[in-house]
Amino acid sequence: MRLHWLIFCITLPWLCGCARFPETPVADTVPARTLLSTITVAGEINPVYYYFFAINTDGDPARGPIPIVVGIEFGNGWGTLDNLGPDEPLVQPPFWVQYHNGVFEQYRNGQPIGPPYRAGVSQDRKQLVVEIDQADLGVPTPNLLTVNWITTTEIATAPQSWLTKEYDGFGRSGNNYLEVSPNTARIWESGVGVVPAEEPGTTTDVADINLVGWSVEVKIRE
């Protein structure tokens, strides 16, 4: 059985300075509750490739976002939910942020809903950051979210794509999604405290999508 991470209620020091970019939020007002996440890659963030911050909002800890990597179904070509039944079709995450061709876009139930509250790429192009207004996840917000970053060089659309598909996500296999309580201010950072380090994976040789670090933070301003 694939192992996923449940990190208990801990507060970790914020060590990553990348949250300072972008300098100007997309929205004019500061949301009461946000979800902030940053990834670091071995190479550089490449706008030609695809970077998905995927979130499952149904409250089920066993159904986290994972990459689509094998099989006869393509679904959306990049991501599905874990622990589906043998006869269930692929199910895309109900919420995600996509970065591609230099554009950040949020999707809820497969429909674009505009850019996230904050988003950007660091000056050295090693890091990508997004900050989501929790209100954009849908109402009501569940007590538990499962999140994962899924990166890929292409959206699989034909059988031959499976022969060369490159992808990454949390953990060596890309399947170690993180459980997050959206109602408590907290930080998780790979390799800090009890959070496992993002080890070199076996899923890709492409440095620009190879995750080497990440952080997730729930911010409460109420």
Side-chain angles (χ1 to χ4, degrees), residues 76-116:
N76 59 21
W78 61 269
T80 183
L81 295 182
D82 197 16
N83 289 317
L84 299 174
D87 298 322
E88 289 186 80
L90 297 179
V91 176
Q92 68 183 359
F95 187 94
W96 72 86
V97 180
Q98 173 183 293
Y99 176 70
H100 177 63
N101 282 339
V103 176
F104 290 90
E105 181 67 53
Q106 295 181 123
Y107 290 82
R108 187 173 60 229
N109 299 323
Q111 301 300 313
I113 61 170

Side-chain angles (χ1 to χ4, degrees), residues 37-154:
S37 187
T38 302
I39 55 171
T40 304
V41 296
E44 297 182 356
I45 301 297
N46 188 330
V48 174
Y49 297 150
Y50 296 83
Y51 303 82
F52 299 94
F53 183 41
I55 304 174
N56 184 25
T57 60
D58 68 9
D60 187 345
R63 290 166 68 95
I66 60 173
I68 292 176
V69 296
V70 293
I72 60 174
E73 293 182 278
F74 294 100
N76 59 21
W78 61 269
T80 183
L81 295 182
D82 197 16
N83 289 317
L84 299 174
D87 298 322
E88 289 186 80
L90 297 179
V91 176
Q92 68 183 359
F95 187 94
W96 72 86
V97 180
Q98 173 183 293
Y99 176 70
H100 177 63
N101 282 339
V103 176
F104 290 90
E105 181 67 53
Q106 295 181 123
Y107 290 82
R108 187 173 60 229
N109 299 323
Q111 301 300 313
I113 61 170
Y117 165 63
R118 291 203 310 162
V121 177
S122 63
Q123 187 173 3
D124 62 4
R125 305 202 64 81
K126 299 287 289 185
Q127 296 172 317
L128 184 153
V129 63
V130 298
E131 187 170 4
I132 298 165
D133 184 346
Q134 287 193 31
D136 288 337
L137 297 175
V139 178
T141 302
N143 293 324
L144 178 73
L145 304 172
T146 51
V147 307
N148 197 357
W149 275 92
I150 298 173
T151 62
T152 185
T153 58
E154 64 176 333

Side-chain angles (χ1 to χ4, degrees), residues 147-171:
V147 307
N148 197 357
W149 275 92
I150 298 173
T151 62
T152 185
T153 58
E154 64 176 333
I155 301 297
T157 56
Q160 59 266 28
S161 297
W162 298 119
L163 301 178
T164 59
K165 185 172 176 60
E166 301 277 352
Y167 68 93
D168 203 2
F170 288 177

Side-chain angles (χ1 to χ4, degrees), residues 5-10 12 178-179 186-188 194-196:
W5 303 328
L6 173 57
I7 309 303
F8 292 96
C9 297
I10 55 175
L12 301 175
L178 177 72
E179 295 181 23
R186 202 171 305 162
I187 303 171
W188 299 261
V194 299
V195 184

